[in-house]
Amino acid sequence: MSKRPSTAVTLSLGMAAVKLTMLLPAIVSVLLVSAPSAFAQPAGQDVDSVAQLRTALEQGGFSVQPGVISTVDWAGMYCKGDRADAGYVNRAPYLLIQVPESATVPTPIENFKLRPDEAIVLIGATPPPVKYFGFNAFLATRFYADEPAGNQRKWLVATLGDAINNATIKTSGPTPFGTPVVIIFTPDRGTDARIRTALQRTGYPSAAVNTMVLPSSILKLGESDTADELTLKMRIGLVEGSPERLDAYVRDAGTAVKVLRVTPTATTAADPFPVPPLRVRGTGQGEMNLMGKVDELRAGIVAANPGMHATDIPSMPVGYEGYDYIQRRAVAGADSRDNVFLAAGYIPQFGSNQRVTLAADEFLVVYGVNHVATGKASYASVNVYASEFAKLSIGQVFHDKFAGTAAPYLPNGDPAVSLLYAVKASRNCGDEPNCIPLRVDACPVLTLEDNTALGFFFRMYLEPATRAGAAIQEIVYDRAIKFSPRP
């Protein structure tokens, strides 16, 4: 992105490169905090309130192990030679949630196994005002006994149902932002109820307690070698107002966020939650009435660049539904039901195999429907990656820069201008307006060359009407064109 990266923080970004290379988006962040009495305490007493909760849980028949939150900069690590690639993240630090390996092994790990009666509890504050945030639980890896030896555990990183997002989260404040919350991740109704009782006893208001169900009927829970590994994440997109507030939230999460692994000390009868119903994507009202206008926009873009050879770069949906990927044993790469992901160019991990390169005298135009303007998303972004080896973002733009960008390519007064966008991307933007500079900053292990393969991710999060991601059949796909003086 041409400006500073959107702070998207990826919780337990066990997105580890899909082999966690497939991190499709964002920044994860987790929670911090206290409660009514807990939530109302002075900042210096937050630790005491969590300590009181731990005592109440232990008195209620649980053992409690603390997790760890750390800040990790995958792009920076790649550029220092400490990672094989940047994992398709934005150029920003990510928050990593690490869960104790088990009730008896306190070593924190990103991808963890869980007994059917256990829970992970996050206690903290939501981010300051942003266009989107959402918490997800993922099936990180699964063991398949019928696969060849040595290849039996496979990466999936597939969502386990809906996220808890800024449109659905229960908090103790008047808005979903900057307010204390608790999230319980568990498969078991009995465990959930007992944790809620302990929270209530120590002053945490029930209005701020959320449960994300880990569906037992889908998962292979337990601690055996063949049990599933899970991971937790949060995405944050496009800060509203002062970026410093979000920077501080991310910076302080390591000390502010509390993560607890909660395990019953005595075996009880399982009481698994049923699989929660999914929020329905789509409203029945789509963007197809703009399909012809997008074609007109393309024609206008090509006409505005006479003498240049135009190569179309179409996009395709990826990472749409985690349950689909789980059933096909396919890598979802951290999908989200709050989002529509489109891939284009050279991103073979997701089946997009059009090899795109960009010489110094060539440029790109990304264009299409502004999905926020049509009401199909709360925020949208375009990322260009050096995709073949680095998987590093070299340029990005968000929907807040789209206004008026289609005007040069459509007739004067065309009302569709407010619903469309067209933004140039080049290695040589100079002072040109509406141009994303494609560059590599402070990364000695990567040089942007004429033959560097490029890939694109288009992201659109949270349709306000449904509180979920848009339906792909209601979206006009974003596109790109490469312009070259040579055929």
Side-chain angles (χ1 to χ4, degrees):
M1 306 165 166
S2 54
K3 56 180 192 177
R4 59 187 275 150
S6 147
T7 329
V9 184
T10 285
L11 218 285
S12 133
L13 279 173
M15 292 190 109
V18 138
K19 247 93 168 248
L20 295 172
T21 268
M22 311 211 150
L23 270 199
L24 285 180
I27 297 186
V28 160
S29 170
V30 100
L31 301 176
L32 128 168
V33 140
S34 6
S37 47
F39 286 164
Q41 289 183 32
Q45 297 180 25
D46 287 348
V47 172
D48 291 342
S49 67
V50 176
Q52 292 170 13
L53 173 61
R54 289 189 61 174
T55 298
L57 288 167
E58 289 165 353
Q59 291 173 346
F62 291 103
S63 68
V64 181
Q65 290 279 10
V68 176
I69 297 294
S70 59
T71 302
V72 61
D73 180 2
W74 286 3
M77 291 171 67
Y78 164 74
C79 290
K80 292 176 182 177
D82 296 333
R83 276 184 60 95
D85 59 62
Y88 290 124
V89 298
N90 295 318
R91 291 298 298 268
Y94 281 68
L95 295 182
L96 199 65
I97 177 172
Q98 296 175 301
V99 172
E101 186 172 343
S102 71
T104 57
V105 181
T107 307
I109 55 176
E110 299 172 37
N111 301 317
F112 61 93
K113 296 175 182 178
L114 198 74
R115 282 173 26 184
D117 58 353
E118 288 185 294
I120 307 300
V121 181
L122 306 182
I123 306 171
T126 56
V130 291
K131 287 294 186 183
Y132 170 80
F133 70 78
F135 293 87
N136 280 104
F138 289 80
L139 172 54
T141 75
R142 170 161 283 180
F143 183 91
Y144 297 98
D146 58 348
E147 294 286 347
N151 194 37
Q152 292 174 302
R153 184 164 291 277
K154 294 183 175 293
W155 288 102
L156 296 174
V157 198
T159 46
L160 296 167
D162 284 311
I164 295 175
N165 60 44
N166 54 284
T168 63
I169 197 166
K170 296 168 60 180
T171 72
S172 60
T175 80
F177 305 109
T179 186
V181 296
V182 176
I183 301 181
I184 304 168
F185 298 85
T186 186
D188 192 79
R189 284 186 285 205
T191 296
D192 180 72
R194 292 166 63 192
I195 292 173
R196 285 174 175 266
T197 297
L199 286 163
Q200 185 176 21
R201 285 176 54 196
T202 48
Y204 291 82
S206 59
V209 179
N210 303 260
T211 297
M212 178 169 283
V213 173
L214 304 175
S216 295
S217 62
I218 294 172
L219 295 171
K220 301 172 183 177
L221 296 166
E223 299 175 311
S224 72
D225 291 343
T226 60
D228 289 338
E229 291 181 333
L230 309 178
T231 190
L232 308 177
K233 302 179 180 56
M234 179 185 177
R235 293 181 169 97
I236 303 176
L238 197 56
V239 65
E240 295 190 284
S242 168
E244 287 73 22
R245 291 181 63 190
L246 188 53
D247 290 345
Y249 179 83
V250 174
R251 183 188 65 241
D252 298 339
T255 54
V257 173
K258 307 303 172 188
V259 181
L260 305 176
R261 181 171 189 141
V262 180
T263 307
T265 54
T267 303
T268 58
D271 186 15
F273 280 104
V275 178
L278 298 175
R279 291 191 289 274
V280 177
R281 291 182 184 253
T283 63
Q285 299 296 317
E287 299 173 340
M288 294 306 140
N289 60 322
L290 291 170
M291 181 78 82
K293 279 295 178 183
V294 173
D295 291 338
E296 289 181 34
L297 178 59
R298 179 200 177 277
I301 294 168
V302 173
N305 293 282
M308 300 291 283
H309 180 75
T311 301
D312 289 300
I313 308 169
S315 62
M316 57 182 285
V318 297
Y320 189 61
E321 290 285 354
Y323 289 163
D324 164 58
Y325 282 82
I326 291 170
Q327 293 183 81
R328 292 190 289 114
R329 301 189 182 186
V331 177
D335 63 291
S336 171
R337 296 204 77 254
D338 286 346
N339 183 30
V340 173
F341 293 112
L342 302 175
Y346 192 72
I347 305 185
Q349 298 92 335
F350 290 101
S352 184
N353 293 301
Q354 183 178 3
R355 193 171 187 88
V356 177
T357 59
L358 202 67
D361 60 351
E362 299 172 325
F363 62 88
L364 305 164
V365 176
V366 291
Y367 69 101
V369 173
N370 180 344
H371 307 293
V372 176
T374 63
K376 305 306 285 184
S378 297
Y379 99 92
S381 67
V382 182
N383 261 276
V384 183
Y385 293 90
S387 56
E388 187 167 15
F389 304 112
K391 300 174 177 59
L392 179 73
S393 177
I394 60 172
Q396 61 187 357
V397 66
F398 295 93
H399 74 267
D400 60 340
K401 302 300 183 185
F402 287 170
T405 56
Y409 309 110
L410 292 172
N412 289 335
D414 192 322
V417 165
S418 64
L419 301 176
L420 305 176
Y421 78 96
V423 180
K424 185 175 178 179
S426 172
R427 293 168 59 184
N428 298 291
C429 281
D431 296 327
E432 188 174 352
N434 302 323
C435 184
I436 310 168
L438 303 181
R439 62 186 183 218
V440 177
D441 296 323
C443 191
V445 300
L446 177 67
T447 302
L448 193 56
E449 305 282 3
D450 290 359
N451 63 348
T452 300
L454 305 180
F456 308 77
F457 277 125
F458 302 91
R459 298 173 170 96
M460 58 205 82
Y461 273 93
L462 202 61
E463 183 173 18
T466 62
R467 304 185 300 170
I472 55 174
Q473 69 271 20
E474 295 179 5
I475 293 296
V476 175
Y477 297 171
D478 301 65
R479 313 174 191 173
I481 307 173
K482 174 182 171 179
F483 286 96
S484 176
R486 299 168 294 281

